[in-house]
Each structure stands twice: as C-alpha cells, then as structure tokens.
Amino acid sequence: MSPRIARTVAELRAALAPHRADGVGFVPTMGALHEGHLSLLRAARDDNGTVVLSIFVNPTQFGEAADLDAYPRTEAADVALAAEAGVDVVFAPSVAEMYPAGFATMVSVGGAITGTLEGAERGRSHFDGVATVVAKLLLAVQPDRAYFGAKDAQQVVVVRRMVADLGIPVEIVTLPTSRDADGLARSSRNTRLSPRDRAVAAAIPRSLRAAQDAFAGGIRDPRSLTDTVRAELAGLNPEYVEVVDADSLAPIAEVERPALLALAVRVGPVRLIDNVVLVPGLDDRIPLGPNGSDHA
Ligand code: PAF
C-alpha cells in the first residue's frame, strides 16, 4: 500500500494521531534511498506498529552550496521504495515548512563531540544544522524509536547527547553500516561517483579492514593503526584519519576500550566518510567481497 504523504507538521500529526498506541518508529533521511536506509526501515517495521520516513534535504547542515545543490533528489523513487518497505507515512516537508520566515533558533551541541572529526573539518555549524533539524523532526513525529546508521558515527553520538540533554522521550536505535559487496559503505552520495571513482573508493573499506587486521594482530597504538589506513589510501590524501574514544570522541593514547577509527576522503567530486569500531576482545572485521582483496 502507498504511504500517506504529509507535507506539513499538521498533516503529519493528523495522520499519526489514531496510531500512536502501537508504537511509532521513525527513520529520518535526506532521500535518495539505498539499501542502508531500507535496513533501517526494516528494523523500524519489525519494532513498531507505525513507521514514518522523513525525506528532507536539510540546508542548514551543508557548508558548501554546491554540495547542497548536487545532493540527489529522487522523491518519486523514494516513495515507491518506502511503499515496498511498508512505510505508513512519508513526511516530506518544504524548506519553508521547516524553516519559516523569521526562524531564529538553532540547537547547538557543544564540547569535544562536535569539535573533532567532521566538526573540525566541516565546522561545528554542520552539527548545529543536524541537531536542529533532528530536534525539529523528533518534535514533529514524536516517535517512540528513531533509527540511525552507524556510518554517521559522530552524528549518532551528537543526536544521543542532544536527546539526553533536552530530555526528548525517544529511544535512539543504531544499526551497523550497510556495505556493498566490496565493502564500500552505502551512501546517497555514491551515485555521484563515476565507475572509475567507484573502483578507487573501494580502497576505503580495504584500508579500514587492514587496520582491523592489524588490531586483531594485537596493534593498539592509534598512530600505527592510522598509518596502516593511510598506507592503503596512498594517493587519495584523506582529510582525516583518526582513532578516538567511541563514546567521548576524545583522543586516546592506546585502544583499551571501544574506539572509533574514522576517516573522510574525497574521491572525484564526492566527499566520503567511513568508520569502524575497534573493540578489544571482539573480532568484527569488514567482509570484502569478490572484487575486494579479502585475505581472511
Ligand atoms: O543522516 C542524514 O541523512 C541526515 O543527517 C539526517 C539525520 C536525516 C538529518 O538531516
């Protein structure tokens, strides 16, 4: 069955009013749905009586106007996929609905978690944009559970902090990064990679896998782990490759508890991010398919 399309918060609330008792699951997206989003929708479908998908390319989280303009917009195809995934309501507001004239309030998560990695590279304003739109979406949908992918690991840390600090009554559910057969993390931006860039981008999961191999072999020094990644990415000149504490995102001297190994790199016109969590005592390596160079 086709989902109901709500363009305004009032339409959304009216559509959800009769269904709140069975639990509302919410998957916020910027559209251009791929298998990663579908896995979030499947989890939401399993856990809740009603599933809401939002499609909104949020201007306040983009630094470069060119990136915002180039972001893929494929609403008709997204709604068709949403129907197959059993979504009940698609919330697809306009920019004016989310940011009406006179809009003047931003949600800003401070501290180390927004100052490092993506925050250092793109500026804290990126996460101000994310926190503001996610807060607005959560207030509009008022879900019981909201689902996020682990590819945007820092976003998840920021959203969890905001939800705790503002006392927003929602459970944040994080699902593992969805990957293609060669290990590349699925992203709406991947559609902008040429076939040649796509082949080059396969070095990203290989580099993370090499670090996971080193970690499984007992390497705990962040510098050795990031050097391993950089060696695999030779020629790609990553914006950052860092190992930080998985919860606080603070720098660490050695991996003694769960750590986030995160990177950002430009391939052709596209900026890609990826990460793995390194957990002492847990071997959870990225499987690299037939075109990757799996040596497990
Ligand atoms: O991860 C995304 O797609 C976006 O950052 C989100 C959470 C939908 C907010 O615009």
Side-chain angles (χ1 to χ4, degrees):
M1 220 176 69
S2 285
R4 270 182 80 167
I5 313 284
R7 300 278 174 200
T8 65
V9 174
E11 285 170 13
L12 174 70
R13 295 228 171 107
L16 290 177
H19 303 291
R20 295 226 165 258
D22 316 334
V24 174
F26 174 46
V27 179
T29 79
M30 298 203 293
L33 298 189
H34 52 67
E35 177 52 34
H37 298 117
L38 299 182
S39 66
L40 299 179
L41 289 171
R42 278 194 292 273
R45 187 67 285 165
D46 286 350
D47 298 345
N48 303 279
T50 299
V51 175
V52 181
L53 164 76
S54 68
I55 300 174
F56 179 64
V57 182
N58 173 37
T60 64
Q61 72 188 76
F62 286 81
E64 298 166 28
D67 193 25
L68 172 62
D69 292 344
Y71 204 85
R73 288 160 171 89
T74 57
E75 189 183 293
D78 292 343
V79 171
L81 287 170
E84 279 173 37
V87 169
D88 299 291
V89 181
V90 172
F91 179 45
S94 64
V95 172
E97 174 69 9
M98 294 299 280
Y99 299 110
F103 185 90
T105 303
M106 295 296 284
V107 178
S108 186
V109 177
I113 62 171
T114 47
T116 185
L117 308 175
E118 290 297 286
E121 211 51 52
R122 303 175 71 173
R124 281 181 198 269
S125 60
H126 165 66
F127 286 114
D128 292 350
V130 170
T132 302
V133 81
V134 172
K136 283 181 64 72
L137 289 168
L138 290 175
L139 286 169
V141 180
Q142 300 183 10
D144 296 282
R145 296 170 199 86
Y147 296 78
F148 293 83
K151 180 174 79 69
D152 297 302
Q154 189 173 11
Q155 169 170 281
V156 174
V157 172
V158 170
V159 167
R160 285 185 184 281
R161 181 78 265 157
M162 176 195 71
V163 161
D165 289 354
L166 297 184
I168 302 178
V170 62
E171 179 190 344
I172 301 298
V173 182
T174 311
L175 269 81
T177 300
S178 173
R179 296 182 181 279
D180 282 334
D182 60 359
L184 186 69
R186 293 194 170 99
S187 163
S188 305
R189 290 186 168 87
N190 292 359
T191 56
R192 293 170 53 211
L193 293 168
S194 69
R196 193 174 164 280
D197 290 339
R198 179 65 187 71
V200 169
I204 297 170
R206 279 204 307 275
S207 73
L208 292 172
R209 171 56 188 265
Q212 288 179 316
D213 290 345
F215 185 71
I219 304 295
R220 295 288 181 270
D221 167 37
R223 184 60 188 266
S224 305
L225 294 164
T226 57
D227 282 352
T228 302
V229 171
R230 286 181 183 280
E232 285 284 335
L233 294 178
L236 275 180
N237 197 15
E239 287 182 6
Y240 65 80
V241 181
E242 283 187 47
V243 177
V244 293
D245 183 84
D247 293 326
S248 67
L249 306 186
I252 51 175
E254 196 177 315
V255 182
E256 292 170 327
R257 40 165 275 113
L260 180 73
L261 167 52
L263 61 82
V265 58
R266 268 182 202 277
V267 179
V270 187
R271 185 174 183 278
L272 297 172
I273 59 170
D274 202 350
N275 71 80
V276 289
V277 176
L278 303 170
V279 184
L282 180 73
D283 192 351
D284 186 20
R285 284 179 258 182
I286 299 174
L288 297 175
N291 300 323
S293 60
D294 205 337
H295 37 278

